């Protein structure tokens, strides 16, 4: 018997360190795969990986849920293509403690990249970390980007719990860096600053008509249904029978599921109340997903593609594209093509809604006078009639005050996480991690290795004396914020928000009911911390 990694894999790699026989791959870097795999021939059925997995993605092969059976063969196929090579298991690096007060690090952002960086640093005795975010809640895209029906994926935040209870960790939510505190303020109170601010802007289509109402960034819709305070008041016309998604990555598939999910399915999630009400009354019957290239190059993961086949009352339709296998296809690509074949062969079921994949379809124009009425695509004289279009074609980072910026890539220039100036010279004490560092690619767990690289560079610079300078202490930082009228949400404050949301959810048989206004979040954080002591 062996254990199997399934759809929900976040590539955090916690399982790799737990495995006593080193049979989980790929183990390092971003090799293009969107998940990890267990070698069934080497696995000794100890279950250590399942115990360690933060998102409960690992099962005994005999306990696989019916909709995850495919992953048994996918795990085995990976090792048929990449035979496991014997080697010593590398023990985790034990880094030496630092003297108290000699290394204080500010981290800007509170998403997974920031949290992984903080956890790495707090694992070293003596290091102090202060985390800042403009919102009153942590976890970034785990809270506001992961789809509501992916609750197991959201449980990845459990890996941060112990570190963030440390006295050496300072949490300062609802503080905007660049406005209420400056980059210079951070450097005055910390030996180093790590920016983990993500890539919040959606790329533009660059076609006529894209400014018409009815065309939206998919990220705005995702933020809306996930209760992001910046997006909670958005309005989307859901009276159309057909919606069109431009782009075929995992975000596009998330949006398609949300548009077609039954009210009962949505009500079992932590979707924001306003979105639950609106989507329960929507009329969408068909979602068309457009990809510029063929199915072989589709950006969605095999796990997300597989999940579509298990949606209640929804057919998956494949239009155009070469589905024939090729010897050079990697394991995940081959699995996606096999799935596409299966979908294409399924007869439509009367009364079902539809997700239609149309490949080799490049959008050329959004048509309409005062509102989107149709979308033209290359090679098709007939436009696709619709009044609701979402673009899901990637993200861009914004310029960060006080840092260099590469407008072409939407990232901060760096070398292994060390920010570099226009001449390529390191900017002392300034680092980046996450999407602002590497661009919008990878899954949640990819941020772990990304953060580890950045932290390794920071620690090397500290060891070399490059960060050795006098800075003000945390008390001085707190006094500075008080002088400026700032009242940050600390970690007990976040736990109060978390408890309130979970309590509201439990009363309605839901994981949580999210608070979506900043005022309500702040009020909850400041009223209830004493209840959590």
């Amino acid at each position: 018997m062996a254990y199997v990694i399934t759809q929900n894999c976040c590539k955090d790699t916690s399982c790799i360190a737990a495995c006593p026989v080193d049979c989980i791959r790929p183990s390092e870097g971003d090799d293009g795969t969107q998940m990890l795999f267990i070698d069934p021939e080497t696995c000794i059925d100890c279950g250590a990986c399942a115990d360690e997995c933060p998102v409960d993605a690992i099962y005994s092969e005999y306990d696989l849920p019916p909709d995850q059976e495919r992953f048994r063969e996918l795990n085995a196929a990976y090792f048929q293509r990449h035979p496991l090579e014997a080697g010593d298991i590398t023990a985790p690096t034990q880094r030496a403690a630092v003297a108290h007060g000699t290394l204080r690090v500010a981290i800007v952002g509170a998403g997974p990249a920031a949290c992984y960086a903080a956890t790495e640093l707090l694992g070293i005795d003596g290091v102090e970390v202060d985390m800042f975010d403009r919102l009153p809640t942590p976890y970034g895209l785990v809270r506001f980007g992961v789809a509501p029906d992916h609750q197991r994926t959201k449980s990845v935040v459990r890996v941060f719990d112990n570190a963030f209870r440390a006295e050496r960790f300072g949490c300062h939510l609802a503080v905007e860096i660049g406005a209420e505190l400056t980059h210079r303020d951070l450097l005055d109170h910390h030996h180093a600053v790590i920016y983990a601010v993500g890539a919040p802007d959606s790329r533009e289509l660059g076609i006529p008509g894209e400014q018409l109402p009815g065309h939206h960034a998919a990220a705005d819709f995702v933020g809306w249904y996930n209760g992001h305070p910046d997006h909670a008041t958005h309005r989307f016309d859901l009276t159309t029978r057909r919606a069109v998604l431009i782009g075929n990555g995992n975000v596009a598939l998330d949006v398609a599921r949300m548009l077609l999910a039954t009210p009962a399915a949505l009500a079992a999630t932590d979707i924001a109340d306003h979105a639950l009400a609106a989507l329960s009354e929507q009329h969408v019957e068909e979602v068309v997903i457009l990809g510029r290239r063929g199915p072989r190059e589709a950006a969605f993961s095999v796990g997300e593609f597989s999940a579509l086949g298990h949606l209640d009352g929804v057919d998956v339709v494949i239009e155009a594209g070469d589905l024939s296998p090729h010897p050079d296809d990697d394991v995940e690509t081959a699995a996606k093509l096999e799935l596409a074949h299966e979908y294409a062969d399924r007869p439509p079921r009367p009364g079902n809604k539809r997700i239609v994949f149309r490949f080799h379809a490049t959008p050329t124009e959004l048509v309409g006078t005062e509102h989107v009425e149709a979308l033209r695509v290359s090679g098709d004289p007939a436009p696709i009639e619709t009044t609701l279009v979402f673009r899901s074609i990637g993200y861009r980072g914004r310029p960060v005050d006080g840092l260099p910026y590469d407008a072409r890539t939407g990232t901060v220039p760096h070398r292994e996480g060390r920010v570099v100036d226009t001449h390529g010279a390191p900017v002392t004490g300034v680092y980046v991690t996450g999407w602002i560092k590497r661009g919008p690619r990878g899954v949640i767990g990819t941020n772990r290795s990304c953060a580890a690289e950045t932290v390794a560079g920071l620690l090397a610079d500290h060891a070399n004396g490059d960060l050795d300078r006098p800075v003000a202490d945390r008390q001085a930082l707190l006094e500075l914020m008080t002088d400026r009228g700032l009242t940050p949400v600390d970690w007990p404050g976040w736990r109060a928000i978390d408890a309130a949301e979970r309590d509201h959810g439990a009363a309605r048989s839901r994981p949580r009911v999210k608070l979506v206004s900043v005022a309500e979040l702040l009020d909850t954080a400041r009223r209830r911390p004493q209840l959590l002591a």
Side-chain angles (χ1 to χ4, degrees), residues 67-282:
D67 61 347
Q68 304 287 299
E69 288 281 351
R70 178 181 301 274
F71 290 91
R72 178 192 288 110
E73 288 71 32
L74 189 62
N75 278 245
Y78 181 85
F79 290 96
Q80 290 169 4
R81 184 73 64 89
H82 307 281
L84 192 65
E85 296 182 3
D88 295 331
I89 300 174
T90 304
T93 302
Q94 298 295 321
R95 295 192 175 103
V98 303
H100 177 73
T102 63
L103 185 56
R104 298 190 64 245
V105 181
I107 299 178
V108 182
C115 291
Y116 277 119
T119 303
E120 283 273 326
L121 287 163
L122 290 166
I124 305 165
D125 192 31
V127 178
E128 296 176 74
V129 174
D130 287 305
M131 181 180 286
F132 301 84
D133 196 278
R134 70 179 183 86
L135 293 176
T137 57
Y139 304 139
L141 284 180
V142 177
R143 180 177 171 92
F144 298 123
V146 174
D149 58 346
H150 283 4
Q151 288 299 306
R152 286 190 173 185
T153 302
K154 297 188 181 197
S155 63
V156 69
V157 300
R158 295 180 302 189
V159 303
F160 311 125
D161 284 348
N162 289 336
F164 291 175
R165 290 190 176 98
E167 291 185 2
R168 293 180 286 115
F169 176 67
C171 178
H172 314 285
L173 304 175
V175 175
E176 186 171 2
I177 303 303
E180 295 168 318
L181 290 180
T182 66
H183 176 62
R184 184 70 257 169
D185 291 330
L186 297 183
L187 288 175
D188 287 345
H189 294 81
H190 302 86
H191 300 94
V193 182
I194 300 175
Y195 283 88
V197 293
D201 292 339
S202 296
R203 295 185 181 276
E204 301 291 334
L205 290 172
I207 63 173
E210 70 175 311
Q211 302 307 318
L212 284 170
H215 167 233
H216 311 273
D220 292 344
F221 189 63
V222 171
W224 173 76
Y225 65 61
N226 271 321
H228 193 298
D230 292 351
H231 301 287
T233 59
H234 287 353
R235 295 290 181 266
F236 301 92
D237 182 3
L238 302 175
T239 61
T240 183
R241 297 293 180 182
R242 176 188 291 127
V244 177
L245 282 156
I246 300 171
N248 58 17
N250 287 340
V251 172
L253 271 58
D254 286 346
V255 170
R257 290 198 320 279
M258 292 298 102
L259 286 170
L260 298 180
T262 65
L266 292 173
T269 73
D270 67 349
I271 190 170
D273 273 352
H274 60 260
L276 176 59
L279 288 170
S280 294
E281 298 294 329
Q282 57 87 16

Side-chain angles (χ1 to χ4, degrees), residues 44 402 412 434 465:
I44 60 173
V412 171

Side-chain angles (χ1 to χ4, degrees), residues 371-410:
H371 194 281
V372 170
E373 298 172 10
L375 171 67
R376 296 188 186 278
V377 298
S378 59
D380 190 343
I384 304 172
E385 295 185 2
T386 182
T387 58
L388 183 61
V389 177
F390 295 103
R391 70 182 186 278
S392 183
I393 56 174
Y395 301 87
R396 289 177 55 83
R398 297 173 183 169
V400 178
D401 184 46
L403 272 62
Y405 178 72
D406 185 336
R408 180 182 61 85
T409 62

Side-chain angles (χ1 to χ4, degrees), residues 279-300:
L279 288 170
S280 294
E281 298 294 329
Q282 57 87 16
H283 301 284
V284 178
E285 296 178 351
E286 179 180 271
V287 177
V288 179
I289 299 177
L290 304 179
R292 291 187 301 108
R293 297 181 292 176
R296 180 168 276 101
E297 294 81 25
F300 51 72

